[in-house]
Amino acid sequence: MSASERPDASPWWASAVFYQVYPRSFADGNDDGIGDLIGVRAKLPYLKALGIDALWLSPFYVSPLADGGYDVADPCDVDPMFGTLADFDAMLADAHELGIRVTVDIVPNHFSDQHRWFQAALAATPGSPERARFIFRDGCGPNGDQPPNNWPSIFGGPAWHRVASTGPDDPGQWYLHIFAPEQPDLDWTNPEVPAEFERILRFWLDRGVDGFRIDVTHGIAKPEGLPDMDPALIEQLAKHEHGSLMTAGKDLRFDNDGVHEYHRMFRRVLDSYPGERMAVGEAWVPDHERLARYVRPDELNLTFNFELLEAKWDDVEFHEAITRSMAALADVGAPCTWVLANHDVDRVVSRYGGGALGLARARAAALVTLSLPGAVYVYNGDELGLSNVGLPDWALQDPTWERSEHKDRGRDGERVPLPWSGTARPYGFGSDPQATWLPQPEGWGLFTAEAEDADPTSTLWLYRRALAMRAATPALLGSSFEWLDAPEGALAYRRGDIAVVMNAGPVDVPLPAGEVLLSSGPLAAGWGTPAGAGVAGGGSSLPTDTVAWIRTA
Ligand code: GLC
Ligand code: CA
């Protein structure tokens, strides 16, 4: 739909459905067991049929893959494992041809330790301009052999790594890495750093990308003087669920006011290009009023509302997360950005209880996010209803596993290569079942895109129907929203003439009068036509763990 056809002439991204491709795991185009850009290009017709508006590609840049590509050694080139710049251009051209926008990841908090800048910094001496692009400090203690402060790495262990001495007066400095040691943090107060990122943004914008997802955008400004953290918070972080960077209290390393100046630079660059280029921020900021600052009119266009991702499958938690997210961003006039999963958190089916129960709830939750006002992100494989995979120790690759001394298994379970076809591994992800970069499970034959395409009650068809209906229903694309009264355990809201009812309680709840357009599972009165479409709502009721969209009179 063009801007003029959209209900309120808002930009495309304000109500877009984005699909996150984790390139290593999405589709393998050259049969080496690793996903790549040729694979993405080959699956564009699948994505078109799914009905998404835009892609977000996680990093495919030159990288030693110490953190799955979020350790970028050359942000302006494609890693040979993923293909070439020509493959990227061909994929982008085909996507645009199909009307699919393409956004890519920008990782501004750190580079890979293999980046030429960091290699030059290691070769240079303390106080040099090469070291000033990163956060090098002298250590504490008599020989400088204690880290400069008590910060822990998000992946476990200390956030400082000591480098070799460069001469008799240099005992060996330490550099900061909030994530893995292979991801040295950049110093954004050094003007060379924002200038380099402006160059990187322009490189991709010039190639034609429609926007960016900005990694850890709440972390790029460090607190003045790098003060110690509260030890109690450090203890709390050690127990933290992997992936989520949200803390209840204030983690002084994140959400410092300095970040906003850098966001204004990003926005200035985006707005200097035609065609509504955009940026979405990955900002784990629990305080809503502070999160709203990320999407002020001259800053990022969108910022993920992670509160819903963190909510349990529960009507009260959903109600609070939705209300608070909407209220916060309404003040700055920015749309919400709903997301239930990404490559950092357990898959929705697993978080909501696993198995048939988790799947029913994940399908239901998808009909919630897809009917809320704002933009929505879908993580690859969620449209197939995939669960996390329990992987053997030997297969684990996430740095979290080693750095947490084998306490946290990390994020590989949600990154297993997608099943496309057939009944046995590798399910059309290349042809060698031993070659996939993470082992696939038995039993995924029922969850392949091919099998689900043939089954009108599948999760794939639920997503296709929901996306098609959303695109064709102005009320769902606009901003009008109103809570409706709902029985205990349930949640109900109205978007124009569409009512949405979610039942997270233990008993069936009555549905409002009207036509059931879509339901996430069978209604008490049965499925009706495929996936519940066209069932008369009056008189029927909504079972536990089900969501329905109803056109009211
Ligand atoms: C973000 C990414 C995550 C990565 C981290 C460090 O949180 O989503 O995958 O490990 O940043 O770049
Ligand atoms: Ca490949």
Side-chain angles (χ1 to χ4, degrees):
M1 237 193 266
S2 73
S4 56
E5 289 168 276
R6 276 189 300 272
D8 50 2
S10 55
W12 67 271
W13 41 262
S15 57
V17 177
F18 292 81
Y19 182 92
Q20 181 190 355
V21 167
Y22 193 71
R24 227 174 158 188
S25 305
F26 180 66
D28 180 12
N30 68 348
D31 207 14
D32 64 355
I34 303 165
D36 49 51
L37 293 174
I38 301 178
V40 177
R41 186 180 180 201
K43 296 299 182 192
L44 288 171
Y46 166 83
L47 296 168
K48 180 69 189 170
L50 179 58
I52 52 129
D53 300 300
L55 295 179
W56 152 30
L57 292 163
S58 278
F60 48 83
Y61 314 118
V62 177
S63 167
L65 297 182
D67 182 21
Y70 282 92
D71 47 320
V72 180
D74 183 351
C76 296
D77 204 355
V78 175
D79 195 284
M81 174 182 296
F82 296 121
T84 62
L85 276 172
D87 293 334
F88 179 83
D89 291 342
M91 183 277 297
L92 181 69
D94 280 13
H96 282 169
E97 189 70 28
L98 289 169
I100 298 174
R101 315 240 184 188
V102 177
T103 68
V104 300
D105 224 306
I106 289 290
V107 189
N109 183 68
H110 42 263
F111 277 153
S112 160
D113 61 348
Q114 301 306 308
H115 189 283
R116 63 188 160 79
W117 273 16
F118 193 72
Q119 289 300 310
L122 288 180
T125 51
S128 61
E130 288 82 2
R131 288 210 172 171
R133 293 158 170 166
F134 297 90
I135 303 180
F136 278 88
R137 293 289 183 275
D138 295 329
C140 295
N143 288 314
D145 48 17
Q146 294 302 312
N149 71 20
N150 69 355
W151 294 5
S153 148
I154 299 291
F155 296 146
W160 294 92
H161 189 84
R162 195 172 195 182
V163 300
S165 153
T166 58
D169 302 331
D170 169 21
Q173 284 194 306
W174 299 71
Y175 69 85
L176 178 69
H177 59 89
I178 300 270
F179 295 91
E182 296 88 348
Q183 294 166 296
D185 281 55
L186 288 157
D187 184 350
W188 273 74
T189 65
N190 179 338
E192 280 191 62
V193 174
E196 178 63 5
F197 275 85
E198 174 160 352
R199 186 183 77 84
I200 298 165
L201 294 177
R202 289 186 182 281
F203 177 86
W204 293 104
L205 290 166
D206 289 341
R207 290 199 106 78
V209 305
D210 298 284
F212 303 99
R213 176 265 192 185
I214 315 233
D215 191 65
V216 200
T217 199
H218 61 320
I220 57 184
K222 306 296 188 279
E224 186 70 47
L226 310 180
D228 273 343
M229 286 170 62
D230 175 0
L233 182 63
I234 296 180
E235 228 169 274
Q236 184 199 324
L237 290 175
K239 294 190 217 119
H240 224 223
E241 169 72 11
H242 57 256
S244 160
L245 297 177
M246 198 87 101
T247 46
K250 168 95 174 105
D251 182 333
L252 54 76
R253 299 171 297 176
F254 295 115
D255 189 32
N256 288 292
D257 289 337
V259 299
H260 299 290
E261 173 192 341
Y262 311 132
H263 297 160
R264 292 193 185 98
M265 180 277 275
F266 297 152
R267 184 59 176 267
R268 224 185 346 91
V269 174
L270 289 163
D271 286 354
S272 71
Y273 284 77
E276 299 180 334
R277 316 287 176 111
M278 55 78 67
V280 60
E282 186 209 18
W284 297 86
V285 176
D287 179 318
H288 288 91
E289 187 272 322
R290 292 200 59 92
L291 182 65
R293 299 179 189 205
Y294 287 71
V295 282
R296 288 179 290 199
D298 60 346
E299 297 200 35
L300 305 176
N301 305 86
L302 298 172
T303 190
F304 291 114
N305 287 89
F306 285 122
E307 201 176 346
L308 193 57
L309 177 152
E310 302 237 309
K312 289 199 189 62
W313 173 251
D314 175 82
D315 57 303
V316 176
E317 289 204 19
F318 266 52
H319 189 279
E320 277 174 15
I322 294 168
T323 308
R324 283 155 51 90
S325 302
M326 290 199 306
L329 300 197
D331 290 348
V332 287
C336 286
T337 304
W338 307 106
V339 53
L340 290 174
N342 58 38
H343 62 294
D344 291 328
V345 296
D346 285 349
R347 283 193 180 271
V348 191
V349 173
S350 304
R351 294 207 316 270
Y352 291 166
L357 177 79
L359 181 58
R361 292 172 171 175
R363 291 169 59 117
L367 291 196
V368 173
T369 54
L370 292 170
S371 61
L372 288 172
V376 185
Y377 278 74
V378 175
Y379 178 52
N380 60 192
D382 279 1
E383 81 280 17
L384 301 174
L386 298 184
S387 316
N388 262 54
V389 177
L391 293 164
D393 291 0
W394 59 261
L396 298 180
Q397 305 213 14
D398 185 348
T400 307
W401 172 239
E402 290 300 334
R403 298 220 20 115
S404 71
E405 293 168 339
H406 299 182
K407 286 195 208 82
D408 185 338
R409 301 187 71 77
R411 302 161 292 175
D412 294 311
E414 58 263 25
R415 298 176 177 178
V416 173
L418 260 53
W420 290 99
S421 58
T423 53
R425 297 181 300 129
Y427 309 107
F429 191 97
S431 60
D432 179 356
Q434 306 305 325
T436 57
W437 75 275
L438 288 172
Q440 296 167 307
E442 302 291 344
W444 261 11
L446 293 173
F447 291 92
T448 65
E450 180 185 55
E452 295 204 18
D453 182 55
D455 172 5
T457 68
S458 69
T459 304
L460 179 58
W461 272 108
L462 179 71
Y463 268 85
R464 286 178 180 163
R465 286 203 182 82
L467 289 174
M469 214 171 273
R470 178 183 162 98
T473 309
L476 293 176
L477 299 176
S479 54
S480 101
F481 177 94
E482 185 195 336
W483 287 113
L484 299 174
D485 288 337
E488 203 178 318
L491 196 72
Y493 49 88
R494 165 179 295 291
R495 308 283 323 279
D497 60 345
I498 311 283
V500 176
V501 185
M502 156 182 170
N503 184 5
V507 294
D508 291 9
V509 300
L511 283 174
E515 180 199 358
V516 178
L517 298 175
L518 195 59
S519 72
S520 63
L523 297 181
W527 278 92
T529 48
V535 182
S540 67
S541 56
L542 186 70
T544 298
D545 297 332
T546 311
V547 166
W549 294 1
I550 296 124
R551 175 161 285 134
T552 55

